[in-house]
Amino acid sequence: MALLPILHYPDPRLRKIAKPVTRFDERLRALVDNMAQTMYDANGVGLAATQVDVHERVIVIDTSDTRDQLQVFVNPRILGASPVRRLSEEGCLSVPGVYDEVERPESVTVEAEDERGRTFRLEAEQLLAVCIQHEMDHLTGKVFVEYLSQLKQTRIRSRMRKLDRDIA
Ligand code: K1U
Ligand code: ZN
C-alpha cells in the first residue's frame, strides 16, 4: 500500500470530471487500498479519487469512531434526496484548515458498486450523508468552498496559495 499525494485547492486538476469505472480488477482494488490508507493517514472521513489526481468515479469513506468501517463507493449515484435540508460543518483534505457550514439534503439514498463490482444501495443520514454528497461533488469537479460567498472563496484561495508556497 502507498500514501498518495493529495491535491490542494485551487489546483485546476480538482475541477476535472471523473469517468465511470468499467473494470473491477486488481488495479482498482490497489487504488482503493491506497486511497483508504491516504484517508486514514490524513485523519479524514472521506476521500474522492479526484483528490489524488485519479479521474475515476471512486470514493472511500469511514465515519466510524473506531476507524475500521471502510465503505467503498464505485460509480455512486443518488437515487433520492430528502426535501429537508440541513446546515452542517464541512472540511476537506484538499483545503486544509478551512471549515465552514454548507446546506445540503439531510439524507440521501445512494446506489453504487463495491470494489468487486457488487451493487448495493443504502440510505445515509447525518455525517455519512454529508460526506457522500461532498465526495460526489469532487467527482464532478466541485470543491465545498464553491458553496461559500465570493469573498470567502477569494480569501481561501490566497490562504491556500500562501500555504503551498510555505510548504514548497
Ligand atoms: O477531503 C475530503 O473530501 C474529506 C473530508 C470529508 C468531509 C468531512 C466532513 C464533512 C464533509 C466532508 C474530511 O475528512 S475533512 C476532515 C474531517 O475529518 C472532518 C471535518 C469536519 C467534520 C467532520 C470531520
Ligand atoms: Zn473534500
Side-chain angles (χ1 to χ4, degrees), residues 4 16-36 39 46-61 70-77 111-117 120 131-132 134-140:
L4 306 170
K16 288 194 182 182
I17 309 238
K19 294 199 165 71
V21 170
T22 54
R23 287 190 197 162
F24 293 83
D25 55 9
E26 284 308 317
R27 188 202 62 90
L28 173 67
R29 286 186 279 281
L31 171 65
V32 166
D33 283 350
N34 291 338
M35 285 176 59
M39 175 189 74
L47 189 72
T50 307
Q51 294 176 274
V52 293
D53 202 19
V54 175
H55 302 283
E56 297 176 32
R57 293 185 59 80
V58 181
I59 289 169
V60 294
I61 292 179
L70 182 70
Q71 291 176 289
V72 178
F73 299 80
V74 179
N75 299 333
R77 49 259 175 207
E111 187 175 76
E113 278 72 56
D114 69 10
E115 67 278 19
R116 300 205 169 268
F120 63 95
C131 198
I132 288 171
H134 174 115
E135 302 308 338
M136 286 184 70
D137 275 350
H138 277 302
L139 300 181
T140 55

Tab-separated table of all heavy atoms in Angstrom, residues 4 16-36 39 46-61 70-77 111-117 120 131-132 134-140:
chain	number	residue	atom	x	y	z
A	4	LEU	N	-0.816	8.475	-1.147
A	4	LEU	CA	-0.904	9.231	-2.399
A	4	LEU	C	-0.900	10.726	-2.072
A	4	LEU	O	-1.539	11.143	-1.085
A	4	LEU	CB	-2.202	8.865	-3.130
A	4	LEU	CG	-2.398	7.360	-3.378
A	4	LEU	CD1	-3.812	7.078	-3.887
A	4	LEU	CD2	-1.360	6.855	-4.375
A	16	LYS	N	-11.537	18.557	-12.688
A	16	LYS	CA	-11.793	17.552	-13.734
A	16	LYS	C	-12.993	16.675	-13.388
A	16	LYS	O	-13.237	16.383	-12.206
A	16	LYS	CB	-10.564	16.647	-13.891
A	16	LYS	CG	-9.382	17.314	-14.540
A	16	LYS	CD	-8.406	16.207	-14.922
A	16	LYS	CE	-7.158	16.719	-15.548
A	16	LYS	NZ	-6.270	15.614	-15.936
A	17	ILE	N	-13.695	16.224	-14.422
A	17	ILE	CA	-14.866	15.353	-14.223
A	17	ILE	C	-14.402	13.902	-14.293
A	17	ILE	O	-13.736	13.510	-15.270
A	17	ILE	CB	-15.915	15.629	-15.317
A	17	ILE	CG1	-16.167	17.144	-15.368
A	17	ILE	CG2	-17.162	14.763	-15.107
A	17	ILE	CD1	-17.525	17.616	-15.165
A	18	ALA	N	-14.733	13.127	-13.269
A	18	ALA	CA	-14.284	11.726	-13.213
A	18	ALA	C	-15.107	10.861	-14.169
A	18	ALA	O	-16.302	11.098	-14.382
A	18	ALA	CB	-14.423	11.214	-11.786
A	19	LYS	N	-14.449	9.825	-14.698
A	19	LYS	CA	-15.128	8.894	-15.628
A	19	LYS	C	-15.617	7.656	-14.867
A	19	LYS	O	-14.990	7.250	-13.873
A	19	LYS	CB	-14.132	8.443	-16.700
A	19	LYS	CG	-13.682	9.567	-17.612
A	19	LYS	CD	-13.089	8.977	-18.887
A	19	LYS	CE	-12.970	10.010	-19.972
A	19	LYS	NZ	-11.948	11.016	-19.765
A	20	PRO	N	-16.676	7.029	-15.364
A	20	PRO	CA	-17.137	5.795	-14.706
A	20	PRO	C	-16.067	4.700	-14.773
A	20	PRO	O	-15.311	4.618	-15.745
A	20	PRO	CB	-18.366	5.384	-15.528
A	20	PRO	CG	-18.792	6.607	-16.256
A	20	PRO	CD	-17.558	7.438	-16.473
A	21	VAL	N	-16.045	3.865	-13.749
A	21	VAL	CA	-15.163	2.693	-13.716
A	21	VAL	C	-15.830	1.594	-14.537
A	21	VAL	O	-17.029	1.337	-14.396
A	21	VAL	CB	-14.959	2.223	-12.257
A	21	VAL	CG1	-14.267	0.877	-12.209
A	21	VAL	CG2	-14.177	3.276	-11.479
A	22	THR	N	-15.054	0.956	-15.404
A	22	THR	CA	-15.618	-0.141	-16.212
A	22	THR	C	-14.963	-1.480	-15.867
A	22	THR	O	-15.517	-2.530	-16.176
A	22	THR	CB	-15.465	0.137	-17.724
A	22	THR	OG1	-14.088	0.414	-18.001
A	22	THR	CG2	-16.311	1.311	-18.166
A	23	ARG	N	-13.774	-1.439	-15.269
A	23	ARG	CA	-13.089	-2.707	-14.941
A	23	ARG	C	-12.892	-2.837	-13.438
A	23	ARG	O	-12.239	-1.983	-12.813
A	23	ARG	CB	-11.713	-2.734	-15.596
A	23	ARG	CG	-11.823	-2.930	-17.077
A	23	ARG	CD	-10.460	-3.192	-17.656
A	23	ARG	NE	-10.526	-2.980	-19.084
A	23	ARG	CZ	-9.502	-2.782	-19.859
A	23	ARG	NH1	-8.295	-2.776	-19.340
A	23	ARG	NH2	-9.659	-2.614	-21.144
A	24	PHE	N	-13.455	-3.891	-12.881
A	24	PHE	CA	-13.332	-4.161	-11.440
A	24	PHE	C	-12.198	-5.169	-11.262
A	24	PHE	O	-12.415	-6.354	-11.055
A	24	PHE	CB	-14.671	-4.650	-10.893
A	24	PHE	CG	-15.717	-3.567	-10.936
A	24	PHE	CD1	-16.436	-3.294	-12.098
A	24	PHE	CD2	-15.946	-2.780	-9.825
A	24	PHE	CE1	-17.358	-2.251	-12.153
A	24	PHE	CE2	-16.878	-1.749	-9.865
A	24	PHE	CZ	-17.584	-1.484	-11.038
A	25	ASP	N	-10.964	-4.660	-11.362
A	25	ASP	CA	-9.800	-5.536	-11.396
A	25	ASP	C	-8.826	-5.205	-10.257
A	25	ASP	O	-9.130	-4.375	-9.393
A	25	ASP	CB	-9.114	-5.438	-12.770
A	25	ASP	CG	-8.746	-3.983	-13.119
A	25	ASP	OD1	-8.877	-3.113	-12.239
A	25	ASP	OD2	-8.329	-3.732	-14.258
A	26	GLU	N	-7.661	-5.842	-10.294
A	26	GLU	CA	-6.661	-5.635	-9.231
A	26	GLU	C	-6.187	-4.191	-9.184
A	26	GLU	O	-5.883	-3.664	-8.125
A	26	GLU	CB	-5.459	-6.579	-9.433
A	26	GLU	CG	-5.740	-8.010	-9.034
A	26	GLU	CD	-6.308	-8.135	-7.617
A	26	GLU	OE1	-5.818	-7.456	-6.683
A	26	GLU	OE2	-7.269	-8.904	-7.447
A	27	ARG	N	-6.112	-3.532	-10.353
A	27	ARG	CA	-5.682	-2.127	-10.380
A	27	ARG	C	-6.658	-1.257	-9.584
A	27	ARG	O	-6.260	-0.401	-8.797
A	27	ARG	CB	-5.599	-1.640	-11.836
A	27	ARG	CG	-4.984	-0.264	-12.004
A	27	ARG	CD	-5.400	0.386	-13.319
A	27	ARG	NE	-6.823	0.580	-13.391
A	27	ARG	CZ	-7.457	1.683	-12.980
A	27	ARG	NH1	-6.779	2.696	-12.485
A	27	ARG	NH2	-8.762	1.775	-13.065
A	28	LEU	N	-7.974	-1.519	-9.738
A	28	LEU	CA	-8.980	-0.762	-8.980
A	28	LEU	C	-8.824	-1.044	-7.491
A	28	LEU	O	-8.864	-0.128	-6.664
A	28	LEU	CB	-10.390	-1.143	-9.452
A	28	LEU	CG	-11.523	-0.533	-8.620
A	28	LEU	CD1	-11.569	0.984	-8.787
A	28	LEU	CD2	-12.874	-1.144	-9.013
A	29	ARG	N	-8.632	-2.320	-7.148
A	29	ARG	CA	-8.520	-2.662	-5.718
A	29	ARG	C	-7.258	-2.049	-5.101
A	29	ARG	O	-7.281	-1.608	-3.952
A	29	ARG	CB	-8.600	-4.174	-5.518
A	29	ARG	CG	-10.050	-4.660	-5.723
A	29	ARG	CD	-10.236	-6.117	-5.412
A	29	ARG	NE	-9.825	-6.985	-6.487
A	29	ARG	CZ	-10.545	-7.238	-7.590
A	29	ARG	NH1	-11.726	-6.705	-7.748
A	29	ARG	NH2	-10.081	-8.050	-8.525
A	30	ALA	N	-6.171	-1.944	-5.869
A	30	ALA	CA	-4.955	-1.284	-5.359
A	30	ALA	C	-5.229	0.211	-5.155
A	30	ALA	O	-4.799	0.806	-4.150
A	30	ALA	CB	-3.801	-1.491	-6.330
A	31	LEU	N	-5.966	0.831	-6.095
A	31	LEU	CA	-6.315	2.250	-5.936
A	31	LEU	C	-7.129	2.453	-4.656
A	31	LEU	O	-6.862	3.365	-3.870
A	31	LEU	CB	-7.108	2.738	-7.165
A	31	LEU	CG	-7.725	4.137	-7.038
A	31	LEU	CD1	-6.647	5.218	-6.936
A	31	LEU	CD2	-8.656	4.438	-8.223
A	32	VAL	N	-8.128	1.586	-4.446
A	32	VAL	CA	-8.985	1.701	-3.256
A	32	VAL	C	-8.138	1.543	-1.980
A	32	VAL	O	-8.273	2.323	-1.024
A	32	VAL	CB	-10.120	0.643	-3.310
A	32	VAL	CG1	-10.805	0.496	-1.961
A	32	VAL	CG2	-11.128	1.016	-4.395
A	33	ASP	N	-7.230	0.561	-1.956
A	33	ASP	CA	-6.361	0.359	-0.781
A	33	ASP	C	-5.508	1.600	-0.523
A	33	ASP	O	-5.370	2.052	0.617
A	33	ASP	CB	-5.416	-0.832	-1.005
A	33	ASP	CG	-6.128	-2.161	-0.836
A	33	ASP	OD1	-7.281	-2.163	-0.361
A	33	ASP	OD2	-5.530	-3.196	-1.196
A	34	ASN	N	-4.937	2.150	-1.589
A	34	ASN	CA	-4.071	3.327	-1.424
A	34	ASN	C	-4.865	4.552	-0.993
A	34	ASN	O	-4.400	5.345	-0.168
A	34	ASN	CB	-3.319	3.611	-2.728
A	34	ASN	CG	-2.292	2.528	-3.023
A	34	ASN	OD1	-1.852	1.815	-2.118
A	34	ASN	ND2	-1.918	2.393	-4.285
A	35	MET	N	-6.084	4.700	-1.542
A	35	MET	CA	-6.928	5.830	-1.120
A	35	MET	C	-7.317	5.684	0.339
A	35	MET	O	-7.336	6.664	1.089
A	35	MET	CB	-8.192	5.897	-1.995
A	35	MET	CG	-7.934	6.441	-3.397
A	35	MET	SD	-9.427	6.398	-4.426
A	35	MET	CE	-10.565	7.413	-3.491
A	36	ALA	N	-7.642	4.464	0.773
A	36	ALA	CA	-8.038	4.252	2.171
A	36	ALA	C	-6.868	4.588	3.092
A	36	ALA	O	-7.023	5.305	4.093
A	36	ALA	CB	-8.494	2.807	2.374
A	39	MET	N	-6.475	8.353	3.229
A	39	MET	CA	-7.528	8.981	4.047
A	39	MET	C	-7.254	8.781	5.540
A	39	MET	O	-7.319	9.733	6.323
A	39	MET	CB	-8.890	8.364	3.688
A	39	MET	CG	-10.023	8.849	4.564
A	39	MET	SD	-11.545	7.924	4.276
A	39	MET	CE	-11.186	6.362	5.071
A	46	GLY	N	-13.343	10.871	4.568
A	46	GLY	CA	-13.657	10.510	3.190
A	46	GLY	C	-12.544	10.945	2.256
A	46	GLY	O	-11.673	11.746	2.639
A	47	LEU	N	-12.559	10.403	1.064
A	47	LEU	CA	-11.599	10.825	0.030
A	47	LEU	C	-12.172	10.407	-1.323
A	47	LEU	O	-12.669	9.284	-1.476
A	47	LEU	CB	-10.234	10.157	0.253
A	47	LEU	CG	-9.083	10.670	-0.621
A	47	LEU	CD1	-8.631	12.080	-0.189
A	47	LEU	CD2	-7.867	9.730	-0.544
A	48	ALA	N	-12.094	11.311	-2.285
A	48	ALA	CA	-12.518	11.005	-3.659
A	48	ALA	C	-11.265	10.853	-4.519
A	48	ALA	O	-10.252	11.533	-4.291
A	48	ALA	CB	-13.386	12.150	-4.196
A	49	ALA	N	-11.345	9.982	-5.534
A	49	ALA	CA	-10.177	9.720	-6.388
A	49	ALA	C	-9.652	11.011	-7.022
A	49	ALA	O	-8.438	11.180	-7.188
A	49	ALA	CB	-10.543	8.690	-7.458
A	50	THR	N	-10.551	11.930	-7.349
A	50	THR	CA	-10.146	13.221	-7.921
A	50	THR	C	-9.062	13.897	-7.079
A	50	THR	O	-8.140	14.517	-7.615
A	50	THR	CB	-11.388	14.153	-7.973
A	50	THR	OG1	-12.427	13.460	-8.642
A	50	THR	CG2	-11.088	15.473	-8.647
A	51	GLN	N	-9.186	13.779	-5.744
A	51	GLN	CA	-8.257	14.469	-4.843
A	51	GLN	C	-6.835	13.908	-4.927
A	51	GLN	O	-5.891	14.557	-4.498
A	51	GLN	CB	-8.754	14.379	-3.399
A	51	GLN	CG	-10.065	15.126	-3.173
A	51	GLN	CD	-10.572	14.929	-1.768
A	51	GLN	OE1	-11.265	13.942	-1.481
A	51	GLN	NE2	-10.224	15.825	-0.869
A	52	VAL	N	-6.705	12.683	-5.453
A	52	VAL	CA	-5.361	12.101	-5.620
A	52	VAL	C	-5.020	12.012	-7.119
A	52	VAL	O	-4.211	11.187	-7.537
A	52	VAL	CB	-5.224	10.740	-4.897
A	52	VAL	CG1	-5.295	10.939	-3.384
A	52	VAL	CG2	-6.276	9.743	-5.351
A	53	ASP	N	-5.679	12.887	-7.897
A	53	ASP	CA	-5.389	13.054	-9.329
A	53	ASP	C	-5.685	11.795	-10.146
A	53	ASP	O	-5.015	11.523	-11.142
A	53	ASP	CB	-3.919	13.498	-9.510
A	53	ASP	CG	-3.691	14.204	-10.840
A	53	ASP	OD1	-4.682	14.666	-11.456
A	53	ASP	OD2	-2.527	14.285	-11.274
A	54	VAL	N	-6.689	11.047	-9.697
A	54	VAL	CA	-7.170	9.897	-10.478
A	54	VAL	C	-8.617	10.232	-10.825
A	54	VAL	O	-9.451	10.421	-9.931
A	54	VAL	CB	-7.089	8.578	-9.681
A	54	VAL	CG1	-7.711	7.430	-10.475
A	54	VAL	CG2	-5.645	8.257	-9.318
A	55	HIS	N	-8.938	10.330	-12.125
A	55	HIS	CA	-10.229	10.898	-12.514
A	55	HIS	C	-11.215	9.804	-12.905
A	55	HIS	O	-11.671	9.701	-14.033
A	55	HIS	CB	-9.980	11.997	-13.557
A	55	HIS	CG	-9.068	13.020	-12.961
A	55	HIS	ND1	-9.509	13.967	-12.057
A	55	HIS	CD2	-7.715	13.143	-13.006
A	55	HIS	CE1	-8.476	14.666	-11.613
A	55	HIS	NE2	-7.372	14.178	-12.168
A	56	GLU	N	-11.505	8.976	-11.884
A	56	GLU	CA	-12.449	7.858	-11.998
A	56	GLU	C	-13.416	7.935	-10.821
A	56	GLU	O	-13.051	8.440	-9.747
A	56	GLU	CB	-11.681	6.528	-11.963
A	56	GLU	CG	-10.733	6.400	-13.143
A	56	GLU	CD	-9.884	5.141	-13.074
A	56	GLU	OE1	-10.358	4.128	-12.545
A	56	GLU	OE2	-8.744	5.205	-13.553
A	57	ARG	N	-14.631	7.392	-11.023
A	57	ARG	CA	-15.675	7.580	-10.011
A	57	ARG	C	-15.515	6.580	-8.853
A	57	ARG	O	-16.199	5.554	-8.789
A	57	ARG	CB	-17.068	7.491	-10.673
A	57	ARG	CG	-17.315	8.668	-11.630
A	57	ARG	CD	-18.710	8.665	-12.209
A	57	ARG	NE	-19.760	8.724	-11.204
A	57	ARG	CZ	-20.160	9.822	-10.576
A	57	ARG	NH1	-19.610	10.985	-10.845
A	57	ARG	NH2	-21.125	9.770	-9.671
A	58	VAL	N	-14.598	6.923	-7.961
A	58	VAL	CA	-14.280	6.083	-6.795
A	58	VAL	C	-14.204	6.972	-5.555
A	58	VAL	O	-13.555	8.023	-5.581
A	58	VAL	CB	-12.923	5.363	-6.973
A	58	VAL	CG1	-12.617	4.485	-5.763
A	58	VAL	CG2	-12.894	4.537	-8.259
A	59	ILE	N	-14.868	6.503	-4.484
A	59	ILE	CA	-14.881	7.228	-3.202
A	59	ILE	C	-14.609	6.222	-2.087
A	59	ILE	O	-15.136	5.098	-2.141
A	59	ILE	CB	-16.289	7.841	-2.972
A	59	ILE	CG1	-16.564	9.005	-3.909
A	59	ILE	CG2	-16.499	8.253	-1.535
A	59	ILE	CD1	-18.031	9.453	-3.875
A	60	VAL	N	-13.847	6.638	-1.077
A	60	VAL	CA	-13.756	5.844	0.162
A	60	VAL	C	-14.230	6.725	1.312
A	60	VAL	O	-13.970	7.933	1.326
A	60	VAL	CB	-12.329	5.301	0.429
A	60	VAL	CG1	-11.917	4.291	-0.627
A	60	VAL	CG2	-11.294	6.423	0.526
A	61	ILE	N	-14.921	6.091	2.279
A	61	ILE	CA	-15.472	6.820	3.433
A	61	ILE	C	-15.355	5.920	4.656
A	61	ILE	O	-15.578	4.703	4.568
A	61	ILE	CB	-16.969	7.182	3.191
A	61	ILE	CG1	-17.093	8.226	2.072
A	61	ILE	CG2	-17.630	7.690	4.479
A	61	ILE	CD1	-18.521	8.640	1.735
A	70	LEU	N	-14.555	0.778	6.750
A	70	LEU	CA	-14.349	1.391	5.428
A	70	LEU	C	-15.538	1.097	4.506
A	70	LEU	O	-16.006	-0.042	4.426
A	70	LEU	CB	-13.066	0.841	4.788
A	70	LEU	CG	-12.730	1.447	3.424
A	70	LEU	CD1	-12.302	2.913	3.568
A	70	LEU	CD2	-11.632	0.636	2.726
A	71	GLN	N	-16.015	2.146	3.831
A	71	GLN	CA	-17.062	1.986	2.821
A	71	GLN	C	-16.501	2.462	1.483
A	71	GLN	O	-15.886	3.528	1.412
A	71	GLN	CB	-18.306	2.799	3.197
A	71	GLN	CG	-19.022	2.224	4.426
A	71	GLN	CD	-20.203	3.099	4.835
A	71	GLN	OE1	-20.030	4.196	5.331
A	71	GLN	NE2	-21.403	2.605	4.607
A	72	VAL	N	-16.685	1.642	0.469
A	72	VAL	CA	-16.155	1.938	-0.869
A	72	VAL	C	-17.338	2.133	-1.812
A	72	VAL	O	-18.239	1.291	-1.865
A	72	VAL	CB	-15.275	0.766	-1.366
A	72	VAL	CG1	-14.756	1.043	-2.776
A	72	VAL	CG2	-14.116	0.513	-0.392
A	73	PHE	N	-17.330	3.252	-2.521
A	73	PHE	CA	-18.409	3.556	-3.472
A	73	PHE	C	-17.777	3.748	-4.850
A	73	PHE	O	-17.022	4.700	-5.076
A	73	PHE	CB	-19.125	4.858	-3.094
A	73	PHE	CG	-19.792	4.846	-1.731
A	73	PHE	CD1	-19.055	5.056	-0.576
A	73	PHE	CD2	-21.155	4.657	-1.626
A	73	PHE	CE1	-19.664	5.068	0.667
A	73	PHE	CE2	-21.784	4.665	-0.387
A	73	PHE	CZ	-21.032	4.866	0.770
A	74	VAL	N	-18.079	2.821	-5.761
A	74	VAL	CA	-17.603	2.940	-7.139
A	74	VAL	C	-18.827	3.277	-8.001
A	74	VAL	O	-19.892	2.671	-7.839
A	74	VAL	CB	-16.938	1.624	-7.601
A	74	VAL	CG1	-16.468	1.747	-9.045
A	74	VAL	CG2	-15.770	1.252	-6.687
A	75	ASN	N	-18.673	4.261	-8.876
A	75	ASN	CA	-19.778	4.735	-9.723
A	75	ASN	C	-21.031	5.073	-8.901
A	75	ASN	O	-22.153	4.629	-9.227
A	75	ASN	CB	-20.148	3.688	-10.783
A	75	ASN	CG	-18.998	3.387	-11.715
A	75	ASN	OD1	-18.129	4.222	-11.934
A	75	ASN	ND2	-18.964	2.167	-12.268
A	76	PRO	N	-20.895	5.879	-7.825
A	76	PRO	CA	-22.062	6.172	-6.982
A	76	PRO	C	-23.100	7.022	-7.719
A	76	PRO	O	-22.743	7.870	-8.544
A	76	PRO	CB	-21.451	6.971	-5.818
A	76	PRO	CG	-20.229	7.608	-6.401
A	76	PRO	CD	-19.698	6.600	-7.393
A	77	ARG	N	-24.364	6.750	-7.446
A	77	ARG	CA	-25.440	7.600	-7.979
A	77	ARG	C	-26.473	7.820	-6.873
A	77	ARG	O	-26.799	6.889	-6.132
A	77	ARG	CB	-26.075	7.037	-9.248
A	77	ARG	CG	-26.497	5.598	-9.215
A	77	ARG	CD	-25.469	4.702	-9.934
A	77	ARG	NE	-25.858	3.282	-9.786
A	77	ARG	CZ	-25.000	2.267	-9.806
A	77	ARG	NH1	-23.703	2.451	-9.933
A	77	ARG	NH2	-25.415	1.017	-9.681
A	111	GLU	N	-26.849	4.481	-4.584
A	111	GLU	CA	-26.538	3.147	-5.114
A	111	GLU	C	-25.135	3.223	-5.699
A	111	GLU	O	-24.738	4.255	-6.247
A	111	GLU	CB	-27.549	2.770	-6.194
A	111	GLU	CG	-27.415	1.333	-6.679
A	111	GLU	CD	-28.523	0.979	-7.664
A	111	GLU	OE1	-28.440	1.419	-8.829
A	111	GLU	OE2	-29.463	0.264	-7.277
A	112	ALA	N	-24.391	2.132	-5.549
A	112	ALA	CA	-23.005	2.121	-6.047
A	112	ALA	C	-22.577	0.675	-6.198
A	112	ALA	O	-23.310	-0.257	-5.828
A	112	ALA	CB	-22.088	2.843	-5.061
A	113	GLU	N	-21.379	0.491	-6.743
A	113	GLU	CA	-20.739	-0.822	-6.723
A	113	GLU	C	-19.628	-0.788	-5.678
A	113	GLU	O	-19.081	0.287	-5.384
A	113	GLU	CB	-20.147	-1.158	-8.096
A	113	GLU	CG	-21.165	-1.709	-9.082
A	113	GLU	CD	-22.150	-0.670	-9.583
A	113	GLU	OE1	-21.721	0.360	-10.117
A	113	GLU	OE2	-23.379	-0.886	-9.409
A	114	ASP	N	-19.294	-1.956	-5.148
A	114	ASP	CA	-18.101	-2.028	-4.306
A	114	ASP	C	-16.906	-2.354	-5.200
A	114	ASP	O	-17.031	-2.409	-6.430
A	114	ASP	CB	-18.290	-3.017	-3.130
A	114	ASP	CG	-18.373	-4.471	-3.587
A	114	ASP	OD1	-18.094	-4.755	-4.774
A	114	ASP	OD2	-18.714	-5.334	-2.754
A	115	GLU	N	-15.742	-2.574	-4.587
A	115	GLU	CA	-14.515	-2.745	-5.378
A	115	GLU	C	-14.508	-4.046	-6.175
A	115	GLU	O	-13.652	-4.262	-7.029
A	115	GLU	CB	-13.275	-2.638	-4.469
A	115	GLU	CG	-13.094	-3.746	-3.464
A	115	GLU	CD	-13.920	-3.563	-2.198
A	115	GLU	OE1	-14.904	-2.789	-2.186
A	115	GLU	OE2	-13.571	-4.233	-1.203
A	116	ARG	N	-15.484	-4.936	-5.878
A	116	ARG	CA	-15.588	-6.191	-6.651
A	116	ARG	C	-16.717	-6.139	-7.667
A	116	ARG	O	-17.055	-7.135	-8.298
A	116	ARG	CB	-15.783	-7.382	-5.708
A	116	ARG	CG	-14.623	-7.515	-4.759
A	116	ARG	CD	-14.397	-8.899	-4.202
A	116	ARG	NE	-13.099	-8.912	-3.537
A	116	ARG	CZ	-11.954	-9.246	-4.106
A	116	ARG	NH1	-11.935	-9.659	-5.352
A	116	ARG	NH2	-10.822	-9.183	-3.439
A	117	GLY	N	-17.377	-4.979	-7.768
A	117	GLY	CA	-18.429	-4.820	-8.775
A	117	GLY	C	-19.805	-5.240	-8.287
A	117	GLY	O	-20.743	-5.331	-9.087
A	120	PHE	N	-24.790	-2.226	-4.421
A	120	PHE	CA	-25.500	-2.119	-3.147
A	120	PHE	C	-26.212	-0.769	-3.107
A	120	PHE	O	-25.920	0.127	-3.889
A	120	PHE	CB	-24.546	-2.268	-1.946
A	120	PHE	CG	-23.507	-1.177	-1.865
A	120	PHE	CD1	-23.718	-0.052	-1.073
A	120	PHE	CD2	-22.334	-1.254	-2.594
A	120	PHE	CE1	-22.771	0.973	-1.007
A	120	PHE	CE2	-21.381	-0.238	-2.538
A	120	PHE	CZ	-21.603	0.874	-1.746
A	131	CYS	N	-21.014	13.492	3.919
A	131	CYS	CA	-19.749	13.057	3.338
A	131	CYS	C	-19.958	12.494	1.918
A	131	CYS	O	-19.190	12.820	0.996
A	131	CYS	CB	-19.135	12.021	4.272
A	131	CYS	SG	-17.414	11.813	3.964
A	132	ILE	N	-20.992	11.679	1.723
A	132	ILE	CA	-21.265	11.127	0.379
A	132	ILE	C	-21.489	12.274	-0.611
A	132	ILE	O	-20.924	12.284	-1.713
A	132	ILE	CB	-22.487	10.182	0.416
A	132	ILE	CG1	-22.126	8.869	1.124
A	132	ILE	CG2	-23.005	9.908	-1.000
A	132	ILE	CD1	-23.332	7.965	1.404
A	134	HIS	N	-20.521	15.426	-0.381
A	134	HIS	CA	-19.266	16.188	-0.535
A	134	HIS	C	-18.312	15.449	-1.488
A	134	HIS	O	-17.733	16.057	-2.387
A	134	HIS	CB	-18.655	16.362	0.862
A	134	HIS	CG	-17.303	16.980	0.916
A	134	HIS	ND1	-17.060	18.204	1.511
A	134	HIS	CD2	-16.091	16.540	0.480
A	134	HIS	CE1	-15.770	18.491	1.416
A	134	HIS	NE2	-15.147	17.483	0.801
A	135	GLU	N	-18.177	14.129	-1.292
A	135	GLU	CA	-17.238	13.361	-2.136
A	135	GLU	C	-17.772	13.248	-3.562
A	135	GLU	O	-16.987	13.293	-4.520
A	135	GLU	CB	-16.996	11.956	-1.553
A	135	GLU	CG	-16.458	11.918	-0.128
A	135	GLU	CD	-15.228	12.757	0.104
A	135	GLU	OE1	-14.505	13.057	-0.866
A	135	GLU	OE2	-14.992	13.161	1.254
A	136	MET	N	-19.093	13.115	-3.711
A	136	MET	CA	-19.647	13.050	-5.076
A	136	MET	C	-19.453	14.382	-5.800
A	136	MET	O	-19.243	14.404	-7.013
A	136	MET	CB	-21.112	12.612	-5.051
A	136	MET	CG	-21.222	11.115	-4.748
A	136	MET	SD	-22.899	10.487	-4.808
A	136	MET	CE	-23.244	10.565	-6.565
A	137	ASP	N	-19.481	15.489	-5.076
A	137	ASP	CA	-19.157	16.783	-5.700
A	137	ASP	C	-17.735	16.758	-6.257
A	137	ASP	O	-17.493	17.256	-7.364
A	137	ASP	CB	-19.264	17.917	-4.672
A	137	ASP	CG	-20.677	18.460	-4.524
A	137	ASP	OD1	-21.552	18.099	-5.331
A	137	ASP	OD2	-20.892	19.266	-3.596
A	138	HIS	N	-16.780	16.187	-5.495
A	138	HIS	CA	-15.398	16.118	-6.009
A	138	HIS	C	-15.365	15.420	-7.374
A	138	HIS	O	-14.613	15.816	-8.261
A	138	HIS	CB	-14.500	15.330	-5.051
A	138	HIS	CG	-13.967	16.128	-3.896
A	138	HIS	ND1	-13.216	17.272	-4.062
A	138	HIS	CD2	-14.040	15.925	-2.553
A	138	HIS	CE1	-12.864	17.738	-2.869
A	138	HIS	NE2	-13.355	16.947	-1.944
A	139	LEU	N	-16.180	14.371	-7.533
A	139	LEU	CA	-16.150	13.600	-8.784
A	139	LEU	C	-16.657	14.424	-9.972
A	139	LEU	O	-16.390	14.080	-11.124
A	139	LEU	CB	-16.958	12.303	-8.649
A	139	LEU	CG	-16.491	11.326	-7.562
A	139	LEU	CD1	-17.378	10.082	-7.560
A	139	LEU	CD2	-15.023	10.931	-7.742
A	140	THR	N	-17.400	15.489	-9.671
A	140	THR	CA	-17.838	16.373	-10.767
A	140	THR	C	-17.062	17.696	-10.744
A	140	THR	O	-17.503	18.702	-11.333
A	140	THR	CB	-19.358	16.643	-10.710
A	140	THR	OG1	-19.679	17.168	-9.425
A	140	THR	CG2	-20.157	15.388	-10.947
